Protein backbone atom coordinates (compact mmCIF):
# COMPACT_ATOMS: atom_id res chain seq x y z
CA UNK A 1 0.00 0.00 0.00
CA UNK A 2 2.85 2.35 0.94
CA UNK A 3 4.53 1.61 -2.43
CA UNK A 4 1.29 2.41 -4.30
CA UNK A 5 0.92 5.70 -2.50
CA UNK A 6 4.50 6.65 -3.39
CA UNK A 7 3.90 5.83 -7.08
CA UNK A 8 0.65 7.85 -7.11
CA UNK A 9 2.44 10.81 -5.55
CA UNK A 10 5.20 10.69 -8.14
CA UNK A 11 2.60 10.61 -10.94
CA UNK A 12 0.85 13.68 -9.47
CA UNK A 13 4.13 15.57 -9.26
CA UNK A 14 5.10 14.66 -12.82
CA UNK A 15 1.66 15.72 -14.10
CA UNK A 16 1.87 19.03 -12.27
CA UNK A 17 5.31 19.68 -13.77
CA UNK A 18 4.08 18.86 -17.27
CA UNK A 19 1.01 21.08 -16.87
CA UNK A 20 3.16 23.90 -15.54
CA UNK A 21 5.55 23.61 -18.47
CA UNK A 22 2.62 23.62 -20.91
CA UNK A 23 1.15 26.71 -19.30
CA UNK A 24 4.53 28.43 -19.33
CA UNK A 25 5.06 27.56 -22.99
CA UNK A 26 1.61 28.84 -23.91
CA UNK A 27 2.18 31.91 -21.80
CA UNK A 28 5.55 32.52 -23.47
CA UNK A 29 4.05 32.23 -26.97
CA UNK A 30 1.13 34.49 -26.09
CA UNK A 31 3.38 37.00 -24.39
CA UNK A 32 5.82 37.33 -27.30
CA UNK A 33 2.95 37.65 -29.77
CA UNK A 34 4.62 35.25 -32.20
CA UNK A 35 2.01 33.75 -34.51
CA UNK A 36 2.45 31.84 -37.74
CA UNK A 37 2.03 33.99 -40.87
CA UNK A 38 -0.83 32.58 -42.96
CA UNK A 39 0.20 31.86 -46.54
CA UNK A 40 -1.32 30.89 -49.84
CA UNK A 41 0.08 29.58 -53.11
CA UNK A 42 -0.21 31.04 -56.59
CA UNK A 43 -2.78 28.99 -58.47
CA UNK A 44 -3.67 28.67 -62.12
CA UNK A 45 -7.26 28.40 -63.23
CA UNK A 46 -10.33 30.22 -64.44
CA UNK A 47 -11.33 33.52 -62.83
CA UNK A 48 -14.72 35.13 -63.27
CA UNK A 49 -14.34 38.91 -63.19
CA UNK A 50 -17.18 39.79 -60.83
CA UNK A 51 -17.77 43.43 -59.88
CA UNK A 52 -20.07 44.58 -57.08
CA UNK A 53 -21.48 48.07 -56.72
CA UNK A 54 -24.34 49.89 -55.05
CA UNK A 55 -26.70 52.34 -56.71
CA UNK A 56 -30.29 53.43 -56.96
CA UNK A 57 -33.11 52.89 -59.37
CA UNK A 58 -33.91 55.58 -61.91
CA UNK A 59 -36.25 55.96 -64.83
CA UNK A 60 -34.27 56.89 -67.96
CA UNK A 61 -37.33 58.34 -69.70
CA UNK A 62 -39.51 61.05 -68.18
CA UNK A 63 -41.64 63.98 -69.31
CA UNK A 64 -41.30 67.19 -67.27
CA UNK A 65 -44.38 69.33 -66.63
CA UNK A 66 -43.37 72.99 -66.56
CA UNK A 67 -45.42 76.01 -65.53
CA UNK A 68 -46.22 77.91 -68.76
CA UNK A 69 -44.29 81.04 -69.68
CA UNK A 70 -46.91 83.76 -69.26
CA UNK A 71 -47.11 87.26 -67.86
CA UNK A 72 -49.06 87.38 -64.65
CA UNK A 73 -49.91 85.08 -61.78
CA UNK A 74 -50.19 81.31 -62.08
CA UNK A 75 -52.28 79.45 -59.54
CA UNK A 76 -52.80 75.69 -59.44
CA UNK A 77 -56.48 74.77 -59.45
CA UNK A 78 -56.07 71.00 -59.37
CA UNK A 79 -53.30 68.43 -59.82
CA UNK A 80 -52.62 64.73 -59.39
CA UNK A 81 -50.53 63.54 -56.45
CA UNK A 82 -47.25 61.64 -56.47
CA UNK A 83 -47.65 57.99 -57.41
CA UNK A 84 -50.78 58.46 -59.52
CA UNK A 85 -50.60 56.42 -62.76
CA UNK A 86 -51.57 58.33 -65.91
CA UNK A 87 -51.89 57.66 -69.59
CA UNK A 88 -50.78 59.82 -72.49
CA UNK A 89 -53.19 62.72 -72.98
CA UNK A 90 -54.58 62.76 -69.45
CA UNK A 91 -54.63 66.03 -67.49
CA UNK A 92 -52.08 66.19 -64.66
CA UNK A 93 -52.15 69.89 -63.63
CA UNK A 94 -54.80 72.57 -64.17
CA UNK A 95 -53.99 76.27 -63.68
CA UNK A 96 -56.51 79.07 -63.24
CA UNK A 97 -57.16 80.51 -66.77
CA UNK A 98 -59.10 83.62 -65.62
CA UNK A 99 -56.32 86.11 -66.33
CA UNK A 100 -55.62 84.62 -69.74
CA UNK A 101 -59.32 84.64 -70.60
CA UNK A 102 -59.42 88.36 -69.69
CA UNK A 103 -56.41 88.95 -71.97
CA UNK A 104 -58.24 87.10 -74.73
CA UNK A 105 -61.32 89.28 -74.34
CA UNK A 106 -59.18 92.43 -74.51
CA UNK A 107 -57.36 91.20 -77.62
CA UNK A 108 -60.63 90.38 -79.34
CA UNK A 109 -61.99 93.84 -78.52
CA UNK A 110 -58.84 95.47 -79.91
CA UNK A 111 -59.17 93.36 -83.04
CA UNK A 112 -62.76 94.47 -83.62
CA UNK A 113 -61.85 98.12 -83.01
CA UNK A 114 -58.97 97.85 -85.49
CA UNK A 115 -61.31 96.31 -88.04
CA UNK A 116 -63.75 99.21 -87.69
CA UNK A 117 -60.95 101.79 -87.85
CA UNK A 118 -59.66 100.21 -91.06
CA UNK A 119 -63.11 100.31 -92.68
CA UNK A 120 -63.59 103.95 -91.64
CA UNK A 121 -60.12 104.92 -92.87
CA UNK A 122 -60.76 103.28 -96.21
CA UNK A 123 -64.12 105.04 -96.54
CA UNK A 124 -62.53 108.37 -95.65
CA UNK A 125 -59.79 107.71 -98.17
CA UNK A 126 -62.37 106.99 -100.88
CA UNK A 127 -64.27 110.21 -100.12
CA UNK A 128 -61.08 112.23 -100.12
CA UNK A 129 -59.97 110.62 -103.36
CA UNK A 130 -63.26 111.59 -105.00
CA UNK A 131 -62.95 115.16 -103.72
CA UNK A 132 -59.36 115.36 -104.93
CA UNK A 133 -60.36 114.06 -108.32
CA UNK A 134 -63.00 116.76 -108.65
CA UNK A 135 -60.53 119.43 -107.56
CA UNK A 136 -58.00 118.19 -110.09
CA UNK A 137 -60.55 118.31 -112.88
CA UNK A 138 -61.43 121.87 -111.92
CA UNK A 139 -57.77 122.91 -111.75
CA UNK A 140 -57.00 121.33 -115.09
CA UNK A 141 -60.03 123.12 -116.59
CA UNK A 142 -58.78 126.45 -115.19
CA UNK A 143 -55.37 125.86 -116.77
CA UNK A 144 -56.93 125.01 -120.12
CA UNK A 145 -59.13 128.10 -120.03
CA UNK A 146 -56.15 130.28 -119.14
CA UNK A 147 -54.23 128.80 -122.05
CA UNK A 148 -57.08 129.73 -124.44
CA UNK A 149 -57.12 133.24 -123.06
CA UNK A 150 -53.38 133.57 -123.68
CA UNK A 151 -53.91 132.59 -127.30
CA UNK A 152 -55.98 135.81 -127.70
CA UNK A 153 -53.17 138.04 -126.51
CA UNK A 154 -52.36 139.23 -130.04
CA UNK A 155 -55.73 140.86 -130.20
CA UNK A 156 -55.55 142.41 -126.76
CA UNK A 157 -53.69 145.26 -125.23
CA UNK A 158 -50.39 144.68 -123.51
CA UNK A 159 -51.96 145.02 -120.10
CA UNK A 160 -54.72 142.47 -120.81
CA UNK A 161 -52.19 140.13 -122.35
CA UNK A 162 -50.04 140.35 -119.25
CA UNK A 163 -53.08 139.60 -117.09
CA UNK A 164 -53.78 136.48 -119.16
CA UNK A 165 -50.16 135.32 -118.76
CA UNK A 166 -50.28 135.80 -115.00
CA UNK A 167 -53.61 134.02 -114.82
CA UNK A 168 -52.12 131.01 -116.70
CA UNK A 169 -49.12 130.88 -114.41
CA UNK A 170 -51.37 130.98 -111.32
CA UNK A 171 -53.63 128.22 -112.71
CA UNK A 172 -50.62 126.00 -113.40
CA UNK A 173 -49.20 126.70 -109.93
CA UNK A 174 -52.51 125.76 -108.29
CA UNK A 175 -52.72 122.58 -110.40
CA UNK A 176 -49.17 121.57 -109.45
CA UNK A 177 -49.81 122.28 -105.77
CA UNK A 178 -53.07 120.36 -105.89
CA UNK A 179 -51.44 117.37 -107.55
CA UNK A 180 -48.75 117.36 -104.85
CA UNK A 181 -51.35 117.65 -102.09
CA UNK A 182 -53.42 114.86 -103.57
CA UNK A 183 -50.39 112.60 -103.77
CA UNK A 184 -49.39 113.44 -100.17
CA UNK A 185 -52.94 112.78 -98.90
CA UNK A 186 -53.02 109.47 -100.75
CA UNK A 187 -49.70 108.38 -99.23
CA UNK A 188 -50.79 109.57 -95.80
CA UNK A 189 -54.06 107.70 -96.12
CA UNK A 190 -52.28 104.51 -97.14
CA UNK A 191 -49.84 104.86 -94.22
CA UNK A 192 -52.71 105.39 -91.81
CA UNK A 193 -54.44 102.28 -93.10
CA UNK A 194 -51.20 100.29 -92.78
CA UNK A 195 -50.87 101.41 -89.16
CA UNK A 196 -54.39 100.24 -88.48
CA UNK A 197 -53.69 96.95 -90.25
CA UNK A 198 -50.65 96.45 -88.01
CA UNK A 199 -52.85 97.11 -84.98
CA UNK A 200 -55.23 94.48 -86.25
CA UNK A 201 -52.33 92.06 -86.83
CA UNK A 202 -51.05 92.74 -83.31
CA UNK A 203 -54.52 92.07 -81.92
CA UNK A 204 -54.67 88.87 -83.98
CA UNK A 205 -51.34 87.76 -82.51
CA UNK A 206 -52.55 88.60 -79.00
CA UNK A 207 -55.64 86.49 -79.60
CA UNK A 208 -53.46 83.61 -80.73
CA UNK A 209 -51.15 83.97 -77.73
CA UNK A 210 -54.08 84.24 -75.32
CA UNK A 211 -55.69 81.11 -76.76
CA UNK A 212 -52.35 79.31 -76.56
CA UNK A 213 -51.89 80.43 -72.96
CA UNK A 214 -55.36 79.21 -72.09
CA UNK A 215 -54.49 75.84 -73.59
CA UNK A 216 -51.21 75.87 -71.63
CA UNK A 217 -53.14 76.27 -68.39
CA UNK A 218 -53.86 72.56 -68.74
CA UNK A 219 -50.77 70.36 -68.48
CA UNK A 220 -51.27 66.89 -69.92
CA UNK A 221 -49.04 63.85 -69.88
CA UNK A 222 -47.27 63.02 -73.11
CA UNK A 223 -46.64 59.41 -72.09
CA UNK A 224 -47.90 56.57 -69.95
CA UNK A 225 -46.25 56.60 -66.56
CA UNK A 226 -46.31 57.63 -62.94
CA UNK A 227 -46.70 61.18 -61.60
CA UNK A 228 -43.96 62.60 -59.38
CA UNK A 229 -44.66 66.02 -57.82
CA UNK A 230 -41.69 68.31 -57.18
CA UNK A 231 -40.84 70.39 -54.11
CA UNK A 232 -42.42 73.85 -53.97
CA UNK A 233 -39.39 76.12 -53.93
CA UNK A 234 -41.69 79.12 -54.43
CA UNK A 235 -43.12 78.50 -50.94
CA UNK A 236 -39.72 79.31 -49.37
CA UNK A 237 -39.29 82.56 -51.29
CA UNK A 238 -36.28 81.11 -53.09
CA UNK A 239 -34.47 80.42 -49.78
CA UNK A 240 -33.21 76.87 -49.35
CA UNK A 241 -30.79 75.11 -47.00
CA UNK A 242 -29.56 71.49 -46.93
CA UNK A 243 -31.86 69.38 -44.77
CA UNK A 244 -34.69 71.87 -45.05
CA UNK A 245 -38.12 70.25 -45.41
CA UNK A 246 -39.93 71.73 -48.41
CA UNK A 247 -43.55 70.74 -49.16
CA UNK A 248 -44.60 69.50 -52.56
CA UNK A 249 -46.75 71.56 -54.90
CA UNK A 250 -50.49 71.18 -54.37
CA UNK A 251 -53.76 72.80 -55.43
CA UNK A 252 -53.95 76.47 -54.48
CA UNK A 253 -50.21 77.20 -54.74
CA UNK A 254 -48.94 80.21 -56.67
CA UNK A 255 -46.26 79.29 -59.16
CA UNK A 256 -43.63 81.21 -61.09
CA UNK A 257 -43.48 80.80 -64.86
CA UNK A 258 -41.09 78.11 -66.04
CA UNK A 259 -41.03 76.14 -62.77
CA UNK A 260 -40.99 72.34 -63.00
CA UNK A 261 -44.10 71.32 -61.10
CA UNK A 262 -44.04 67.60 -61.69
CA UNK A 263 -42.88 64.96 -64.12
CA UNK A 264 -44.29 61.76 -65.53
CA UNK A 265 -41.88 58.83 -65.27
CA UNK A 266 -41.90 55.94 -67.71
CA UNK A 267 -41.97 52.88 -65.47
CA UNK A 268 -41.83 50.34 -68.30
CA UNK A 269 -38.03 50.35 -68.25
CA UNK A 270 -35.87 51.01 -65.20
CA UNK A 271 -32.13 51.31 -64.74
CA UNK A 272 -29.71 51.36 -61.84
CA UNK A 273 -27.14 54.15 -61.60
CA UNK A 274 -24.09 53.37 -59.51
CA UNK A 275 -20.36 54.06 -59.25
CA UNK A 276 -17.51 51.67 -60.04
CA UNK A 277 -14.06 51.94 -58.50
CA UNK A 278 -11.08 52.73 -60.70
CA UNK A 279 -9.72 49.23 -60.12
CA UNK A 280 -12.94 47.70 -61.47
CA UNK A 281 -13.38 50.06 -64.44
CA UNK A 282 -11.60 47.74 -66.88
CA UNK A 283 -13.48 44.70 -65.60
CA UNK A 284 -16.88 45.65 -66.99
CA UNK A 285 -18.11 46.62 -70.44
CA UNK A 286 -21.46 47.44 -72.07
CA UNK A 287 -23.84 44.53 -72.71
CA UNK A 288 -22.30 42.33 -70.01
CA UNK A 289 -24.83 40.53 -67.84
CA UNK A 290 -25.57 41.64 -64.31
CA UNK A 291 -27.84 40.81 -61.40
CA UNK A 292 -29.68 43.40 -59.31
CA UNK A 293 -31.00 43.01 -55.79
CA UNK A 294 -33.55 45.60 -54.61
CA UNK A 295 -35.63 46.02 -51.47
CA UNK A 296 -38.85 45.41 -53.42
CA UNK A 297 -37.62 41.92 -54.33
CA UNK A 298 -35.41 40.84 -51.42
CA UNK A 299 -35.39 37.21 -52.50
CA UNK A 300 -35.08 37.72 -56.24
CA UNK A 301 -32.10 38.64 -58.38
CA UNK A 302 -33.37 40.76 -61.25
CA UNK A 303 -31.49 40.16 -64.53
CA UNK A 304 -29.89 43.23 -66.08
CA UNK A 305 -27.20 44.34 -68.51
CA UNK A 306 -24.48 46.97 -68.39
CA UNK A 307 -25.77 49.97 -70.34
CA UNK A 308 -22.66 52.14 -70.27
CA UNK A 309 -19.72 53.19 -68.11
CA UNK A 310 -18.43 56.75 -67.94
CA UNK A 311 -15.12 57.39 -69.68
CA UNK A 312 -14.02 60.07 -67.22
CA UNK A 313 -13.26 59.57 -63.55
CA UNK A 314 -15.09 61.56 -60.91
CA UNK A 315 -13.79 62.34 -57.45
CA UNK A 316 -15.63 63.49 -54.38
CA UNK A 317 -14.87 67.17 -53.78
CA UNK A 318 -14.46 66.89 -50.00
CA UNK A 319 -13.05 63.37 -49.85
CA UNK A 320 -9.43 62.62 -48.90
CA UNK A 321 -9.50 59.48 -51.02
CA UNK A 322 -7.35 60.00 -54.12
CA UNK A 323 -9.02 57.10 -55.93
CA UNK A 324 -11.93 58.07 -58.13
CA UNK A 325 -15.03 56.34 -59.39
CA UNK A 326 -16.79 55.93 -62.72
CA UNK A 327 -20.54 56.25 -63.12
CA UNK A 328 -22.15 53.12 -64.52
CA UNK A 329 -25.71 52.44 -65.64
CA UNK A 330 -27.42 49.06 -65.67
CA UNK A 331 -30.68 48.34 -67.51
CA UNK A 332 -33.14 45.87 -66.02
CA UNK A 333 -34.28 43.24 -68.51
CA UNK A 334 -37.80 43.52 -67.13
CA UNK A 335 -39.38 46.12 -64.89
CA UNK A 336 -41.93 45.53 -62.15
CA UNK A 337 -44.95 47.62 -61.05
CA UNK A 338 -43.64 47.90 -57.48
CA UNK A 339 -40.25 49.34 -58.48
CA UNK A 340 -39.85 53.05 -57.86
CA UNK A 341 -37.09 55.56 -58.63
CA UNK A 342 -34.80 56.21 -55.69
CA UNK A 343 -34.87 52.66 -54.30
CA UNK A 344 -31.38 51.48 -53.38
CA UNK A 345 -30.01 48.45 -55.19
CA UNK A 346 -26.99 46.17 -55.16
CA UNK A 347 -25.52 45.14 -58.51
CA UNK A 348 -23.36 42.15 -59.35
CA UNK A 349 -21.72 42.34 -62.78
CA UNK A 350 -20.57 39.10 -64.38
CA UNK A 351 -17.55 40.25 -66.37
CA UNK A 352 -15.10 38.30 -68.52
CA UNK A 353 -14.30 34.69 -67.63
CA UNK A 354 -10.50 34.52 -67.76
CA UNK A 355 -9.18 31.07 -68.67
CA UNK A 356 -6.00 29.52 -67.28
CA UNK A 357 -4.62 32.57 -65.50
CA UNK A 358 -2.43 32.88 -62.41
CA UNK A 359 -4.20 34.37 -59.43
CA UNK A 360 -3.93 35.09 -55.73
CA UNK A 361 -6.34 36.29 -53.06
CA UNK A 362 -6.68 40.05 -53.42
CA UNK A 363 -5.62 40.64 -49.79
CA UNK A 364 -2.20 39.08 -50.45
CA UNK A 365 -1.22 41.91 -52.82
CA UNK A 366 0.10 45.08 -51.16
CA UNK A 367 0.87 48.61 -52.35
CA UNK A 368 4.35 49.83 -51.41
CA UNK A 369 6.09 52.88 -52.88
CA UNK A 370 3.70 52.96 -55.81
CA UNK A 371 4.33 49.30 -56.69
CA UNK A 372 2.26 46.15 -56.37
CA UNK A 373 4.17 43.61 -54.26
CA UNK A 374 3.72 40.27 -52.54
CA UNK A 375 5.76 38.73 -49.72
CA UNK A 376 7.27 35.46 -50.99
CA UNK A 377 8.10 32.85 -48.35
CA UNK A 378 11.80 31.95 -48.32
CA UNK A 379 12.47 29.40 -45.63
CA UNK A 380 11.35 31.01 -42.38
CA UNK A 381 11.36 34.56 -43.79
CA UNK A 382 9.37 36.55 -46.31
CA UNK A 383 10.88 38.69 -49.07
CA UNK A 384 8.99 41.43 -50.92
CA UNK A 385 8.75 40.94 -54.68
CA UNK A 386 7.14 43.22 -57.26
CA UNK A 387 4.45 41.77 -59.51
CA UNK A 388 2.06 42.96 -62.19
CA UNK A 389 -1.64 42.87 -61.43
CA UNK A 390 -3.54 42.48 -64.70
CA UNK A 391 -7.03 42.30 -63.23
CA UNK A 392 -8.49 42.64 -59.78
CA UNK A 393 -11.79 41.77 -58.18
CA UNK A 394 -12.88 42.09 -54.57
CA UNK A 395 -11.64 38.57 -53.84
CA UNK A 396 -8.94 37.78 -56.41
CA UNK A 397 -6.03 39.38 -58.26
CA UNK A 398 -4.88 38.05 -61.62
CA UNK A 399 -1.11 38.47 -61.68
CA UNK A 400 2.09 38.09 -63.71
CA UNK A 401 5.63 37.71 -62.45
CA UNK A 402 5.38 34.67 -60.17
CA UNK A 403 5.44 30.99 -61.09
CA UNK A 404 2.56 28.73 -60.18
CA UNK A 405 2.84 27.28 -56.69
CA UNK A 406 4.82 30.18 -55.20
CA UNK A 407 3.94 30.56 -51.52
CA UNK A 408 3.15 34.12 -50.42
CA UNK A 409 1.88 35.75 -47.24
CA UNK A 410 -1.75 36.67 -46.92
CA UNK A 411 -0.99 39.38 -44.35
CA UNK A 412 1.87 41.87 -44.25
CA UNK A 413 4.60 40.07 -42.26
CA UNK A 414 6.32 43.38 -41.47
CA UNK A 415 3.39 44.34 -39.23
CA UNK A 416 3.54 42.07 -36.16
CA UNK A 417 0.73 42.37 -33.71
CA UNK A 418 1.70 42.24 -30.06
CA UNK A 419 -0.71 41.76 -27.24
CA UNK A 420 -0.35 42.89 -23.62
CA UNK A 421 1.50 40.40 -21.41
CA UNK A 422 -0.20 41.28 -18.12
CA UNK A 423 -3.12 38.84 -18.33
CA UNK A 424 -0.85 35.96 -19.43
CA UNK A 425 1.75 36.73 -16.72
CA UNK A 426 -0.95 36.58 -14.08
CA UNK A 427 -2.13 33.29 -15.56
CA UNK A 428 1.39 31.86 -15.48
CA UNK A 429 1.93 33.11 -11.94
CA UNK A 430 -1.25 31.45 -10.82
CA UNK A 431 -0.27 28.21 -12.53
CA UNK A 432 3.11 28.19 -10.86
CA UNK A 433 1.48 28.59 -7.51
Amino acid sequence: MKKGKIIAGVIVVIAAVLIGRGILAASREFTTGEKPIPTVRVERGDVQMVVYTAGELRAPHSAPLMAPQVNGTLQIVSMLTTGTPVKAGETVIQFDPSEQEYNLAQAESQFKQAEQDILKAKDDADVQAAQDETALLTARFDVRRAELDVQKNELLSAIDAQKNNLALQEAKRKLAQLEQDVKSRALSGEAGIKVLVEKRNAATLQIKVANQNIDNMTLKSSMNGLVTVKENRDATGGFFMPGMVVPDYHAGDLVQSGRMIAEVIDMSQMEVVGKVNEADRSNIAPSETAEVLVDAHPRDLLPAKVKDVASQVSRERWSNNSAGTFQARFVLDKSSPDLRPGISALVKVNGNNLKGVLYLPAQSVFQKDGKQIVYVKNGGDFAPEAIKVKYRTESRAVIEGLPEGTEVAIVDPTLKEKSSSKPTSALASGAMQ
Side-chain angles (χ1 to χ4, degrees):
M1 290 294 292
K2 182 179 285 187
K3 184 178 181 180
K5 289 182 178 179
I6 293 173
I7 293 173
V10 171
I11 292 174
V12 171
V13 171
I14 293 174
V17 171
L18 292 176
I19 292 173
R21 287 181 177 179
I23 293 175
L24 285 173
S27 174
R28 188 178 302 110
E29 180 180 354
F30 192 83
T31 302
T32 59
E34 295 179 356
K35 295 182 181 179
I37 302 298
T39 61
V40 68
R41 294 184 182 275
V42 177
E43 297 185 21
R44 183 181 296 276
D46 299 341
V47 175
Q48 178 73 46
M49 302 305 296
V50 179
V51 176
Y52 295 91
T53 185
E56 65 176 28
L57 287 172
R58 293 185 185 177
H61 304 295
S62 63
L65 298 173
M66 314 289 291
Q69 295 283 357
V70 297
N71 294 325
T73 304
L74 288 171
Q75 185 173 23
I76 301 174
V77 175
S78 63
M79 68 180 300
L80 300 180
T81 58
T82 296
T84 304
V86 293
K87 295 182 179 180
E90 288 186 3
T91 298
V92 180
I93 304 172
Q94 178 65 56
F95 293 96
D96 183 8
S98 301
E99 189 169 347
Q100 305 308 319
E101 290 173 348
Y102 172 76
N103 293 338
L104 174 61
Q106 274 194 326
E108 290 175 342
S109 176
Q110 292 172 359
F111 176 82
K112 292 178 181 179
Q113 184 63 44
E115 281 280 310
Q116 293 177 0
D117 291 343
I118 290 173
L119 292 176
K120 183 178 182 302
K122 288 182 176 180
D123 291 341
D124 292 343
D126 292 340
V127 171
Q128 186 63 50
Q131 292 175 351
D132 290 340
E133 184 65 27
T134 301
L136 285 172
L137 289 174
T138 303
R140 291 189 184 105
F141 176 77
D142 292 340
V143 171
R144 181 57 180 164
R145 184 174 58 183
E147 289 175 344
L148 292 175
D149 290 340
V150 169
Q151 291 177 0
K152 300 176 183 179
N153 283 347
E154 295 179 356
L155 304 176
L156 300 175
S157 63
I159 295 176
D160 292 336
Q162 184 64 22
K163 289 180 179 180
N164 289 339
N165 290 333
L166 292 175
L168 178 59
Q169 292 176 3
E170 181 63 19
K172 287 182 177 180
R173 187 192 65 78
K174 288 183 178 180
L175 177 60
Q177 183 64 45
L178 182 59
E179 288 177 342
Q180 185 176 356
D181 292 343
V182 169
K183 186 177 180 180
S184 297
R185 281 195 291 269
L187 292 175
S188 178
E190 290 177 0
I193 292 175
K194 288 182 178 179
V195 170
L196 295 174
V197 169
E198 288 302 319
K199 287 184 177 180
R200 182 183 64 183
N201 292 340
T204 302
L205 180 60
Q206 290 176 0
I207 291 173
K208 183 178 180 181
V209 171
N211 281 320
Q212 184 65 46
N213 287 341
I214 291 173
D215 292 338
N216 290 342
M217 293 298 104
T218 302
L219 300 185
K220 297 182 179 181
S221 175
S222 60
M223 61 194 301
N224 296 340
L226 206 68
V227 176
T228 301
V229 180
K230 299 300 180 180
E231 294 179 341
N232 184 0
R233 297 294 177 89
D234 294 318
T236 63
F239 177 77
F240 181 76
M241 292 180 59
M244 183 176 178
V245 178
V246 181
D248 293 341
Y249 284 102
H250 62 274
D253 285 345
L254 297 178
V255 183
Q256 292 185 10
S257 296
R259 289 284 195 191
M260 180 186 287
I261 309 301
E263 64 179 336
V264 177
I265 300 174
D266 181 10
M267 305 298 294
S268 62
Q269 186 178 27
M270 299 290 289
E271 67 182 22
V272 179
V273 178
K275 292 185 177 181
V276 178
N277 294 327
E278 285 187 83
D280 292 328
R281 172 63 179 84
S282 60
N283 297 337
I284 65 174
S287 301
E288 288 181 342
T289 60
E291 296 172 331
V292 178
L293 179 65
V294 297
D295 293 339
H297 297 269
R299 298 183 180 180
D300 298 331
L301 289 176
L302 305 179
K305 287 184 176 62
V306 179
K307 183 177 182 179
D308 54 42
V309 185
S311 58
Q312 293 185 345
V313 68
S314 61
R315 289 181 170 84
E316 299 294 336
R317 178 176 297 180
W318 308 112
S319 175
N320 294 326
N321 187 5
S322 60
T325 58
F326 294 83
Q327 180 175 287
R329 295 189 295 174
F330 311 90
V331 180
L332 297 179
D333 291 348
K334 185 178 180 181
S335 185
S336 176
D338 53 355
L339 295 181
R340 294 290 183 270
I343 295 178
S344 59
L346 296 177
V347 183
K348 174 187 175 184
V349 182
N350 302 313
N352 295 329
N353 189 12
L354 306 178
K355 301 287 187 179
V357 295
L358 296 173
Y359 63 88
L360 283 169
Q363 63 267 31
S364 64
V365 180
F366 303 93
Q367 184 85 12
K368 290 294 179 68
D369 298 328
K371 297 181 180 180
Q372 303 282 349
I373 67 167
V374 294
Y375 290 97
V376 178
K377 187 173 184 180
N378 186 8
D381 297 327
F382 291 89
E385 187 168 340
I387 61 169
K388 179 180 179 181
V389 178
K390 297 183 64 178
Y391 302 97
R392 181 190 290 271
T393 67
E394 290 190 358
S395 59
R396 293 181 179 180
V398 178
I399 66 168
E400 288 182 351
L402 289 178
E404 182 180 358
T406 303
E407 188 175 4
V408 302
I410 295 180
V411 298
D412 188 345
T414 63
L415 303 177
K416 294 183 179 180
E417 297 180 358
K418 293 185 178 182
S419 302
S420 173
S421 61
K422 291 182 180 180
T424 55
S425 297
L427 177 62
S429 176
M432 291 299 293
Q433 292 177 358

